[in-house]
Amino acid sequence: MPRIIPIRDLKDTATISQMCQESNDPIYVTKNGYGDMVIMSMQAYEEKLCLLDVYEKLAEAEEDLEQGRTLDARGDLKSLREKYGI
């Protein structure tokens, strides 16, 4: 279940930091009852960025397939492995 906190709770930074570290889910911050911002741990943020990069690469690959373009799969896999240390 998502955590939602009012903006005034941001004064207690230690508690907010602990909440971020305890879960990979973002914390939604409201201002005057409306969504204002989202906070998450650095680890969760980096994981989201990595997933976004993978999704973008998949979308590009799907488009290439639809257009009949083929790629050097071994070279692409090698570069991804190097980039992500796999």
Side-chain angles (χ1 to χ4, degrees):
M1 178 167 216
R3 290 191 126 164
I4 302 170
I5 61 170
I7 199 164
R8 70 174 178 270
D9 287 359
L10 292 179
K11 292 177 185 176
D12 189 357
T13 57
T15 300
I16 300 298
S17 177
Q18 183 179 1
M19 288 169 56
C20 287
Q21 299 306 318
E22 289 173 352
S23 173
N24 274 345
D25 295 328
I27 299 170
Y28 298 91
V29 182
T30 60
K31 182 177 180 182
N32 298 323
Y34 296 96
D36 188 52
M37 64 180 102
V38 177
I39 301 173
M40 63 178 62
S41 70
M42 286 297 294
Q43 179 183 353
Y45 177 72
E46 290 171 355
E47 288 172 2
K48 301 288 185 212
L49 286 179
C50 184
L51 277 175
L52 181 61
D53 188 43
V54 169
Y55 291 146
E56 288 174 1
K57 298 255 188 264
L58 285 173
E60 289 173 12
E62 286 177 350
E63 176 149 346
D64 286 341
L65 286 173
E66 288 175 4
Q67 300 296 323
R69 295 186 298 256
T70 58
L71 303 172
D72 176 17
R74 288 192 174 117
D76 291 339
L77 284 174
K78 183 179 178 183
S79 67
L80 285 173
R81 286 186 177 129
E82 290 171 356
K83 181 175 182 178
Y84 294 107
I86 299 173

